[in-house]
Amino acid sequence: MRTYHCFWLLFWAGQPHQSFLTPLSKRTSGFPEKEKVLVLSGNSRQDLHRSKRSWMWNQFFLLEEYTGTDYQYVGKLHSDQDKGDGSLKYILSGDGAGDLFIINENTGDIQATKRLDREEKPVYILRAQAINRRTGRPVEPESEFIIKIHDINDNEPMFTKDVYNASIPEMSDVGTFVVQVTATDADDPTYGNSAKVVYSILQGQPYFSVESETGIIKTALLNMDRENREQYQVVIQAKDMGGQMGGLSGTTTVNITLTDVNDNPPRFPQSTYQFRAPESTPLDSPVGRIKANDADVDENAEIEYSITEGDGYDMFGITTDKDTQEGIITVKKALDFENKNLYILKVEATNTHVDPRFLYLGPFKDSATVRIQVEDVDEPPMFSRPAYIMEVKEDVPVNSVIGTVTAQDPDAAKNPVKYSVDRHTDMDRVFNINSGNGSIFTSKPLDRETLLWHNITVIAAEINNPKQSSRVPVFIKVLDVNDNAPEFAMFYETFVCENAKAEQLIQTLSAVDKDDSYNGHQFSFSLAPEAASSSNFTLQDNRDNTAGIFTRRTRYNRHETSTYFLPVVISDNDYPIQSSTETVTIRVCACDHRGKMLSCNAEALIHPTGLSTGALIAILLCIIILLVTVVLFAALRRQRKKEPLIISKEDIRDNVVSYNDEGGGEEDTQAFDIGTLRNPEAIDDNKLRRDIVPETLFMPRRTATARDNTDVRDFINQRLKENDTDPTAPPYDSLATYAYEGNGSVAESLSSLESVTTDGDQDYDYLSDWGPRFKKLADMYGSMDSDKDS
């Protein structure tokens, strides 16, 4: 059904320059019940010409989403200058003019050509004008009017998100806030209830509820347990028109996840666990794993294991695998099947993060019994000690027993054991061991002063299974005996002045002993018996391990005796007493009145002008340098400079290289001129070889020349026979053959040896037929022929 709401615009003639405006009544809502007319009028009609006329008109209202087949009628414009004779023309401009809105230029009727949507554009502002068709001039000023679009409920509520995600802790109280959803309606909120939205829950009851006006979702059920159900999908509906029948609606999905809290204690799935461990299990090695189940996740499921009691409390330990939350039982002390073969442990599993709100659910721990059976294995022999320390005197005879090591098989079989010394620890084989009883004895003499400690390793292995073996270190200390005589602490060489007085101290002696003394060394000094009576010096023992040498007479003459050798006997006080005779060298020297030595050499007085040692060394060095220079100069002069065979760069003859017995090398180009092979007449009979010096000069024997040789091989063979029978020929070969091709070569000889000594012209065009490898030669010799022809 079409409904037309139109407002007429009436134009009235009035007094010039005067107009009266009657405003329209204010519209609040809905459509006007009657037309509102804006009247322009005057009270004098004497002046038939008016300078200005005014529009009188209302706002136009139009419903959106018109579904009729005809154009929708908007309203009508009319001017009081319109006499109905068609002389006026109405023009419309502004928003949508000519497209959305058209006007009948004769009648002023305005129509909408398309369906309008208020949500796209709620208000259109247009301008209208009446003009004279004949003159084209406006008869009225351009005026502006408004077309407002009335809203209808044509938009459903839309949520801001298609899917909402939210989470809350499990076991939450009723009414706990979850999430708030929001929906908007594009309709006009100021016109009717088209945009009034209310919320309701379509799916998710009885677990959740939603506030109808705010869209806040809350929990509606107590003690929702994540372990029973973790995910919930709630469907919320938003409906306009205040939720009344006929309103439009939209829905959204809310995915709600219950997060975990620690409301479940750990529980062992079984009360007893059985494990087996070989007695050879290394320390800190795992024996088995146990696990207590916890329905919680993440940190709420973290468990700490401990051994609370049992006879293996100190033998085993338990740790937690952070990845699997398993308890790993490990060995803390060495197991021994023969000592104990069964251990019983009580293991407890406890949550590390306990929530006090759920303590009423019970203790958050559980316990289980673990039985560990120790298995017997074939073990290597075990020594009675972890290490042995032995002592032996250095003077013990060879093959003396110094100690015994003991090892036995810990297994029940008690297999016999044999002993041996690891020779890597006793490379000199100083010690040996009895393989049956483990007694260690010496195999070489010992010397404490050479090596105080001997560290060896003894191996004990089962006789039936040598792979089962063990090792033990044995530390052997060599004890000292008094087997070294004392000796001077240093080499003593002193002097006595010629003008020395009697009983004058000239040297203090001290001694050392390589032996060790527990109470300290005590040395005694004395002169040897053969020097005690006839000596020119006396020796005084100071009783503090030192002694002094004194002069026995006054004045000594170095010309008579320049050096005295004084034998001194040094003895120790250990058992057995050891003594040695040491010699002190005493030189007689010339001294000044203060006792300062001036000279100790008697020859210095006889040859006062002699050279010093430094001067002699300098002279000797100069002589050596001079001799070296002369030898080098002579060697350089004797070197002969090799005479080059080819002096000119243009001498490009090919030569047969001459080799001596050891080979002359490619540098030897003076041996033979191969050009004579093709031109025997060019041979110089009197020319001697330059590569050797003949021992005996024989007159060279002239040989017949072979003319018109066509084959070089025949010529060479002939010359070889001649040289073999020639007594003047050298006793070695001096001819080197270079890659002779023979008679069968299609290309014949490539040698250019003949080119130097012959004047005949040759044709080298055949080189072009030999392929790309000989192209360079063909170009070179072909160009030479062309030059000759030119």
Side-chain angles (χ1 to χ4, degrees):
M1 175 179 179
R2 292 181 57 182
T3 305
Y4 297 91
H5 301 274
C6 55
F7 300 89
W8 296 90
L9 299 176
L10 303 177
F11 298 86
W12 300 90
Q15 296 295 332
H17 308 290
Q18 294 183 4
S19 63
F20 300 92
L21 177 62
T22 303
L24 299 175
S25 60
K26 184 177 181 181
R27 175 180 175 275
T28 58
S29 63
F31 297 99
E33 297 179 357
K34 60 180 180 178
E35 295 182 348
K36 308 288 191 301
V37 180
L38 183 65
V39 180
L40 284 159
S41 62
N43 47 13
S44 175
R45 298 181 60 86
Q46 295 177 359
D47 189 359
L48 299 178
H49 302 282
R50 54 183 292 195
S51 60
K52 182 179 180 181
R53 293 190 180 274
S54 302
W55 294 93
M56 297 188 311
W57 54 310
N58 278 327
Q59 296 186 69
F60 297 123
F61 296 87
L62 193 64
L63 284 176
E64 66 172 336
E65 304 294 343
Y66 173 69
T67 59
T69 58
D70 297 333
Y71 291 163
Q72 187 177 7
Y73 186 76
V74 179
K76 183 180 182 66
L77 300 178
H78 184 72
S79 175
D80 58 355
Q81 295 293 324
D82 190 358
K83 305 301 183 183
D85 55 0
S87 61
L88 295 181
K89 179 181 178 180
Y90 295 97
I91 298 175
L92 187 66
S93 62
D95 295 340
D99 182 17
L100 293 177
F101 302 102
I102 60 175
I103 188 171
N104 190 319
E105 61 182 15
N106 296 320
T107 63
D109 292 329
I110 302 174
Q111 293 178 311
T113 61
K114 298 179 181 179
R115 294 174 59 181
L116 302 178
D117 189 357
R118 188 200 68 82
E119 286 72 33
E120 293 182 1
K121 191 173 180 64
V123 175
Y124 294 87
I125 301 175
L126 295 96
R127 294 178 295 279
Q129 192 175 32
I131 62 175
N132 189 296
R133 286 181 180 272
R134 184 174 60 81
T135 62
R137 294 182 178 180
V139 297
E140 298 290 346
E142 186 180 56
S143 297
E144 189 176 79
F145 64 95
I146 299 173
I147 298 178
K148 291 187 175 182
I149 308 302
H150 265 307
D151 182 48
I152 63 173
N153 190 20
D154 59 343
N155 291 280
E156 70 274 6
M158 299 291 294
F159 284 94
T160 56
K161 296 181 181 179
D162 294 335
V163 178
Y164 289 83
N165 294 302
S167 61
I168 58 170
E170 62 175 330
M171 310 298 288
S172 297
D173 296 333
V174 175
T176 301
F177 173 82
V178 179
V179 70
Q180 183 176 11
V181 297
T182 303
T184 58
D185 197 314
D187 293 326
D188 189 0
T190 63
Y191 184 75
N193 294 326
S194 298
K196 187 177 181 181
V197 178
V198 294
Y199 301 93
S200 60
I201 184 168
L202 300 182
Q203 176 183 323
Q205 295 174 329
Y207 306 104
F208 301 95
S209 63
V210 62
E211 293 183 357
S212 60
E213 294 183 358
T214 62
I216 295 176
I217 300 175
K218 299 180 179 180
T219 57
L221 189 64
L222 186 64
N223 294 333
M224 287 189 292
D225 192 358
R226 185 199 64 83
E227 287 72 32
N228 293 331
R229 183 177 178 183
E230 184 177 5
Q231 298 286 341
Y232 293 87
Q233 191 175 72
V234 178
V235 178
I236 302 297
Q237 174 183 267
K239 190 174 184 180
D240 58 12
M241 298 298 293
Q244 299 177 1
M245 186 177 296
L248 302 178
S249 63
T251 60
T252 187
T253 301
V254 182
N255 295 323
I256 301 175
T257 303
L258 296 183
T259 59
D260 185 57
V261 296
N262 193 6
D263 58 341
N264 293 280
R267 290 289 181 264
F268 283 106
Q270 58 194 68
S271 59
T272 303
Y273 292 86
Q274 295 278 352
F275 296 106
R276 293 180 176 272
E279 62 176 335
S280 59
T281 303
L283 299 182
D284 298 326
S285 298
V287 173
R289 290 172 174 254
I290 61 175
K291 184 177 181 180
N293 299 324
D294 194 324
D296 297 322
V297 295
D298 298 333
E299 67 174 13
N300 296 319
E302 292 182 1
I303 301 174
E304 183 177 356
Y305 297 89
S306 60
I307 299 176
T308 57
E309 58 183 62
D311 54 2
Y313 179 82
D314 58 342
M315 297 293 295
F316 299 92
I318 189 168
T319 57
T320 303
D321 188 335
K322 298 299 182 181
D323 297 329
T324 62
Q325 295 301 315
E326 293 177 318
I328 306 174
I329 300 175
T330 57
V331 178
K332 290 174 59 178
K333 293 183 178 181
L335 303 178
D336 188 359
F337 173 82
E338 290 74 22
N339 185 24
K340 187 174 180 62
N341 57 17
L342 178 63
Y343 295 90
I344 299 177
L345 309 175
K346 183 177 181 181
V347 179
E348 186 175 81
T350 307
N351 276 139
T352 56
H353 299 86
V354 179
D355 194 336
R357 296 177 300 172
F358 305 104
L359 290 177
Y360 66 92
L361 297 177
F364 282 78
K365 59 183 178 180
D366 194 15
S367 60
T369 301
V370 178
R371 298 169 60 89
I372 301 176
Q373 182 73 42
V374 180
E375 297 178 341
D376 187 24
V377 296
D378 188 7
E379 297 178 276
M382 182 178 296
F383 284 94
S384 59
R385 301 179 189 175
Y388 291 86
I389 299 178
M390 301 179 182
E391 294 181 348
V392 58
K393 290 186 177 182
E394 61 178 328
D395 61 345
V396 296
V398 177
N399 296 328
S400 298
V401 177
I402 62 175
T404 302
V405 297
T406 304
Q408 62 180 359
D409 185 9
D411 299 323
K414 299 298 180 182
N415 294 319
V417 177
K418 64 177 180 179
Y419 302 91
S420 62
V421 176
D422 186 356
R423 291 307 175 187
H424 292 91
T425 61
D426 186 22
M427 301 294 291
D428 297 331
R429 296 181 177 269
V430 179
F431 301 95
N432 212 333
I433 190 171
N434 189 308
S435 61
N437 57 21
S439 59
I440 300 174
F441 57 90
T442 60
S443 58
K444 289 184 179 181
L446 303 177
D447 187 6
R448 188 200 69 86
E449 288 72 31
T450 302
L451 187 60
L452 177 62
W453 284 92
H454 294 266
N455 302 327
I456 65 174
T457 299
V458 174
I459 303 173
E462 293 182 7
I463 296 178
N464 299 332
N465 186 9
K467 292 183 179 180
Q468 294 294 338
S469 62
S470 57
R471 297 167 175 262
V472 67
V474 179
F475 307 104
I476 303 173
K477 182 179 181 181
V478 180
L479 301 178
D480 184 47
V481 295
N482 191 24
D483 58 346
N484 290 278
E487 57 188 13
F488 281 150
M490 57 181 293
F491 175 72
Y492 289 102
E493 182 178 5
T494 185
F495 71 95
V496 62
C497 293
E498 288 182 309
N499 55 358
K501 298 179 180 180
E503 302 299 326
Q504 181 179 343
L505 176 65
I506 62 174
Q507 182 66 50
T508 300
L509 307 178
S510 62
V512 294
D513 194 336
K514 295 180 180 179
D515 294 324
D516 190 12
S517 177
Y518 299 100
N519 299 322
H521 291 290
Q522 293 183 5
F523 303 124
S524 60
F525 299 86
S526 63
L527 292 177
E530 64 272 14
S533 60
S534 62
S535 177
N536 293 302
F537 303 92
T538 60
L539 181 69
Q540 180 181 343
D541 191 347
N542 299 325
R543 305 299 179 181
D544 58 354
N545 294 336
T546 64
I549 299 177
F550 294 86
T551 58
R552 174 174 288 184
R553 60 186 176 86
T554 59
R555 301 194 63 84
Y556 294 84
N557 191 343
R558 56 177 169 165
H559 301 292
E560 294 178 358
T561 305
S562 62
T563 304
Y564 293 92
F565 298 98
L566 185 65
V568 178
V569 178
I570 311 172
S571 303
D572 58 20
N573 63 342
D574 292 332
Y575 180 82
I577 296 176
Q578 299 288 339
S579 63
S580 65
T581 301
E582 301 288 332
T583 301
V584 179
T585 303
I586 304 174
R587 302 175 64 189
V588 180
C589 299
C591 302
D592 57 11
H593 65 281
R594 292 176 297 181
K596 184 177 181 182
M597 181 181 64
L598 296 178
S599 174
C600 294
N601 192 354
E603 288 76 7
L605 297 177
I606 301 174
H607 306 284
T609 60
L611 296 177
S612 64
T613 303
L616 292 175
I617 293 175
I619 293 173
L620 182 59
L621 288 176
C622 292
I623 295 174
I624 293 174
I625 294 173
L626 181 60
L627 290 176
V628 171
T629 304
V630 172
V631 171
L632 292 177
F633 181 75
L636 293 176
R637 289 293 301 271
R638 293 182 63 181
Q639 288 185 352
R640 299 180 61 184
K641 185 176 182 182
K642 292 183 180 180
E643 179 184 357
L645 179 62
I646 302 177
I647 300 176
S648 174
K649 294 183 179 179
E650 297 179 357
D651 189 359
I652 57 174
R653 294 175 299 168
D654 294 334
N655 297 310
V656 177
V657 179
S658 175
Y659 292 91
N660 293 332
D661 290 341
E662 296 181 357
E666 296 179 359
E667 297 294 333
D668 188 0
T669 59
Q670 302 182 13
F672 205 90
D673 187 0
I674 201 171
T676 60
L677 296 176
R678 291 294 183 182
N679 191 12
E681 297 178 352
I683 298 177
D684 187 2
D685 294 337
N686 297 325
K687 185 177 180 180
L688 298 177
R689 288 184 51 164
R690 290 178 290 176
D691 57 336
I692 62 174
V693 178
E695 297 180 358
T696 305
L697 294 178
F698 292 91
M699 291 302 294
R701 188 176 62 181
R702 187 173 183 84
T703 58
T705 58
R707 299 182 179 272
D708 299 329
N709 285 324
T710 59
D711 194 348
V712 177
R713 181 178 60 183
D714 295 337
F715 178 78
I716 292 174
N717 291 333
Q718 179 183 353
R719 297 305 297 269
L720 285 174
K721 292 180 181 179
E722 295 174 356
N723 281 274
D724 289 338
T725 58
D726 187 2
T728 63
Y732 49 83
D733 295 335
S734 60
L735 179 64
T737 302
Y738 288 90
Y740 176 72
E741 296 182 4
N743 293 328
S745 175
V746 178
E748 297 181 353
S749 177
L750 300 180
S751 174
S752 60
L753 301 175
E754 189 182 16
S755 61
V756 178
T757 59
T758 58
D759 297 330
D761 295 334
Q762 297 186 22
D763 185 10
Y764 297 99
D765 294 337
Y766 60 88
L767 295 175
S768 302
D769 300 331
W770 289 359
R773 294 186 178 180
F774 298 91
K775 185 176 182 304
K776 185 66 176 178
L777 287 174
D779 294 341
M780 292 173 57
Y781 287 95
S783 61
M784 293 173 59
D785 293 341
S786 62
D787 293 339
K788 291 180 180 181
D789 296 337
S790 61

